[in-house]
DNA sequence: CGTGTTTGACCAGCGC
DNA sequence: GCGCTGGTCAAACACG
């Protein structure tokens, strides 16, 4: 299973080589630059100004951010976040088309540079790249965004990450952290972590790339979810027909009762789903932070923590899918036209097996995590999913891409989101 | 000493 | 062309 999952590529399997060659090129360029860097620095006032601007801007933003960090002391902000819980819900459910789009823009501009490099290099990679080049020539990498309520700096997804940068993004007082996978030296996978500016309790994690190495068990659930999500988008974009489940390991039958129940509930409430469409990056987003009906009975709704018990009402999921217009979109959906389409999209997505697989994987993660939490697990969970030391959490796969005027859907799965990072 | 984080600097893309 | 912004690099630093 592990190899199976690790082999399920999210986007492109040969990014390693792409990055290698790209980096090699960058290295060359850098060497060239360094040979004349002194000239450059002294002769180009613009650069100096730019540097000062960069420096002062970051300084200013840091001051404005008031020392905010990705980590979150829930107790400190509880009243705040609780008070803003409804706001957050409103934000997510009512204003998602606009505000969230803006937020997504902030969060989802990730790794475009790699795409640019890729395009520039015009490197022919195998499998997926071939498909992408053939069918999605202008589509950027698929990304999977996970929104979760989490008081730690990042969610623990089982992989090993190394932080390589942090930036204060425009429009968000919270810093955005950049991580790369260090399980394998050349693993191209990156992730971006940022807190939602409208609800500091929500952690937005965006994944991009495909692991080129076997994953630890604890990471397979996330990998499965992201892989399936990306596969769904890919298949949706590659064919006008209903996409097939590209990851056979992701079947609801293998995900346990909760997943099945969720699926049933979800399918019985197609209105909980909607679709939105953006340009550029096809992104899948699953947001379980928005309350909704029909899922409150899940026993893995944690009530063990003061936070979760007091805020269980807002523990739910919010499911979204979006894809690039350029890559078409979900089957039977025309995101470019009118938007009673939301209802149509909702149904189409709900019936999309890939969507279900994504959902199932995500739910599986929670279920597994919850179980592991209950056991105060200290090692990799056998059921996959996240590794957490706290009970209760909510997971969100979120589609960032575009602000198409479509409204977002919500499928609630209340899970108190308190992902914990290791 | 190895590993990971912090943070100022740098670069490229994009919009005006 | 210029400035803004996001993403990345890499030296310095922290930690076990």
């Amino acid at each position: 299973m592990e190899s199976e999952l690790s082999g399920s590529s999210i986007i492109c399997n040969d990014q390693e080589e792409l990055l290698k060659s790209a980096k090699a090129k960058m290295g060359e360029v850098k060497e060239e630059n360094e040979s004349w860097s002194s000239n450059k620095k002294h002769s180009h006032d613009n650069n100096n100004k730019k540097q000062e601007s960069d420096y002062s801007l970051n300084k200013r933003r840091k001051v404005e951010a008031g020392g905010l960090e990705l980590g979150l002391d829930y107790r400190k902000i509880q009243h705040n976040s609780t008070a803003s819980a409804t706001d957050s819900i409103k934000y997510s459910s009512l204003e998602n088309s606009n505000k969230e789009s803006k937020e997504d823009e902030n969060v989802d501009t990730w790794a475009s540079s790699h795409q640019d490099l890729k395009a520039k290099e015009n490197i022919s990679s195998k499998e997926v790249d071939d498909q992408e080049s053939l069918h999605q020539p202008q589509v950027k990498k698929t990304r999977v965004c996970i929104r979760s309520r989490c008081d730690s700096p990042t969610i623990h997804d089982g992989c090993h990450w190394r932080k390589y940068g942090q930036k204060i993004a425009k429009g968000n007082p919270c810093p955005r952290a950049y991580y790369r996978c260090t399980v394998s030296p050349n693993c191209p996978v990156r992730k971006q972590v940022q807190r939602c500016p409208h609800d500091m309790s929500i952690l937005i994690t965006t994944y991009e790339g495909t692991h080129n190495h076997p994953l630890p068990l604890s990471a397979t659930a996330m990998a499965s979810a992201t892989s399936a999500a990306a596969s769904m988008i890919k298949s949706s974009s590659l064919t006008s027909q209903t996409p097939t489940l590209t990851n056979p390991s992701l079947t609801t039958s293998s995900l346990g009762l909760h997943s099945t129940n969720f699926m049933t509930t979800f399918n019985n409430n197609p209105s909980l789903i909607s679709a939105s469409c953006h340009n550029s990056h096809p992104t899948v987003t699953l947001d379980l932070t928005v309350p909704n009906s029909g899922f409150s009975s899940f026993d893995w709704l944690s009530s063990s923590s003061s936070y979760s018990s007091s805020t269980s009402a807002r523990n739910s999921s919010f499911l979204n899918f979006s894809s690039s217009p350029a890559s078409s979109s979900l089957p039977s959906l025309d995101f470019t036209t009118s938007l009673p389409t939301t209802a149509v999209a909702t149904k189409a997505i709900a019936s999309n097996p890939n969507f279900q697989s994504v959902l199932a994987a995500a739910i599986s993660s929670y279920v597994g995590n919850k179980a592991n939490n209950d056991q105060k697990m200290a090692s990799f969970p056998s059921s996959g999913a996240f590794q957490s030391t706290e009970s209760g959490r909510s997971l969100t796969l979120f589609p960032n891409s575009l602000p198409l005027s479509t409204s977002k859907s919500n499928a609630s799965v209340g899970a108190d989101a308190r992902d914990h990072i290791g």
Side-chain angles (χ1 to χ4, degrees):
Chain A
M1 174 181 177
E2 186 173 334
S3 59
E4 221 179 86
L5 293 173
S6 63
S8 61
S9 61
I10 297 177
I11 296 135
C12 122
N13 286 332
D14 273 4
Q15 290 179 353
E16 176 183 350
E17 299 208 358
L18 291 177
L19 286 178
K20 274 184 180 177
S21 56
K23 281 217 169 190
K25 288 246 174 183
M26 290 177 70
E28 293 174 9
V29 172
K30 202 153 194 174
E31 286 179 5
E32 292 175 7
N33 285 343
E34 298 205 345
S35 65
W36 53 272
S37 60
S38 55
N39 275 339
K40 181 183 174 185
K41 285 183 179 177
H42 292 298
S43 61
H44 290 262
D45 288 340
N46 277 342
N47 267 349
N48 290 332
K49 285 181 181 178
K50 187 176 180 180
Q51 290 167 15
E52 290 178 7
S53 174
D54 208 1
Y55 174 80
S56 59
L57 181 61
N58 274 314
K59 281 280 186 182
R60 178 164 47 86
R61 286 176 178 173
K62 284 174 188 173
V63 171
E64 290 173 351
L68 280 172
E69 295 178 354
L70 286 171
L72 192 62
D73 186 336
Y74 246 166
R75 283 161 189 80
K76 284 180 182 176
I77 68 145
Q78 182 166 344
H79 66 284
N80 211 358
S81 62
T82 301
S84 64
T86 52
D87 293 340
S88 166
I89 294 165
K90 290 177 184 175
Y91 161 74
S92 296
S93 60
L94 299 178
E95 308 176 46
N96 51 65
S97 294
N98 297 323
K99 287 185 179 179
E100 233 168 26
S101 297
K102 290 177 182 176
E103 175 191 339
D104 290 346
E105 284 176 4
N106 288 335
V107 176
D108 289 339
T109 56
W110 192 71
S112 58
S113 59
H114 287 303
Q115 285 297 305
D116 297 334
L117 279 176
K118 180 179 173 182
K120 286 177 181 176
E121 298 292 342
N122 193 21
I123 297 172
S124 67
S125 74
K126 306 143 195 173
E127 317 164 6
V128 181
D129 272 1
D130 287 343
Q131 286 186 341
E132 287 187 351
S133 60
L134 286 175
H135 302 280
Q136 303 178 338
Q138 296 177 347
V139 178
K140 297 177 182 179
K141 281 183 185 177
T142 302
R143 293 180 300 189
V144 177
C145 182
I146 299 172
R147 292 168 60 99
S148 62
R149 293 193 181 279
C150 178
D151 57 353
S152 58
T154 179
I155 62 176
H156 194 295
D157 48 21
C159 286
H160 203 203
W161 302 95
R162 177 187 174 91
K163 188 177 183 178
Y164 67 89
Q166 180 168 305
K167 199 87 171 180
I168 301 291
K170 183 185 179 184
N172 191 340
C174 303
R176 175 185 303 166
Y178 302 90
Y179 297 85
R180 64 164 53 97
C181 178
T182 58
V183 174
S184 174
N186 296 320
C187 182
V189 177
R190 301 279 196 278
K191 82 170 179 180
Q192 197 178 47
V193 180
Q194 187 175 35
R195 290 211 168 270
C196 175
H198 302 274
D199 187 346
M200 299 298 190
S201 65
I202 297 176
L203 195 67
I204 303 170
T205 306
T206 305
Y207 295 88
E208 181 170 325
T210 303
H211 295 282
N212 60 2
H213 52 81
L215 294 172
L217 282 178
S218 58
T220 56
M222 173 64 77
S224 298
T226 56
S227 177
S231 296
M232 186 203 70
I233 279 191
K234 186 180 298 178
S235 62
S236 298
S237 65
L238 294 180
T239 174
S240 59
Q241 299 176 350
T242 300
T244 57
L245 190 59
T246 57
N247 189 342
S249 66
L250 291 172
T251 58
T252 56
S253 61
S254 64
L255 295 173
L257 181 61
H258 289 304
S259 303
T260 305
N261 287 342
F262 178 85
M263 287 307 187
T264 302
T265 306
F266 178 76
N267 284 322
N268 288 339
N269 297 273
S271 63
L272 295 176
I273 316 166
S274 68
S276 62
C277 197
H278 253 285
N279 49 29
S280 62
H281 296 280
T283 309
V284 177
T285 301
L286 176 58
D287 187 346
L288 304 181
T289 63
V290 178
N292 211 317
S293 60
F295 299 94
S296 59
S297 62
F298 282 107
D299 62 3
W300 40 278
L301 272 179
S302 172
S303 60
S304 61
S305 68
S306 58
Y307 168 78
S308 60
S309 61
S310 64
T311 61
S312 60
R314 62 181 148 111
N315 294 327
S316 59
S317 70
F318 190 147
L319 203 50
N320 288 294
F321 279 90
S322 65
S323 65
S324 165
S327 64
S328 176
S329 52
L330 294 169
S332 307
L333 301 181
D334 182 2
F335 291 108
T336 64
T337 57
S338 61
L339 293 181
T341 15
T342 300
V344 179
T346 292
K347 259 197 169 179
I349 296 173
S351 63
N352 186 324
N354 274 350
F355 166 79
Q356 293 185 359
S357 70
V358 173
L359 191 57
I363 298 306
S364 172
S365 298
Y366 280 105
V367 174
N369 189 57
K370 166 65 175 169
N372 287 318
N373 285 338
D374 290 345
Q375 298 173 5
K376 294 184 181 292
M377 54 158 261
S379 58
F380 289 149
S382 59
S383 60
F386 299 92
Q387 189 171 2
S388 173
T389 58
E390 292 188 24
S391 61
R393 57 187 298 162
S394 100
L395 172 66
T396 305
L397 282 177
F398 211 73
N400 303 332
S401 342
L402 16 117
L404 230 181
S405 47
T406 50
S407 62
K408 290 191 177 178
S409 64
N410 8 10
S412 85
V413 167
D416 186 4
R418 301 194 70 192
D419 296 319
H420 206 75
I421 192 166

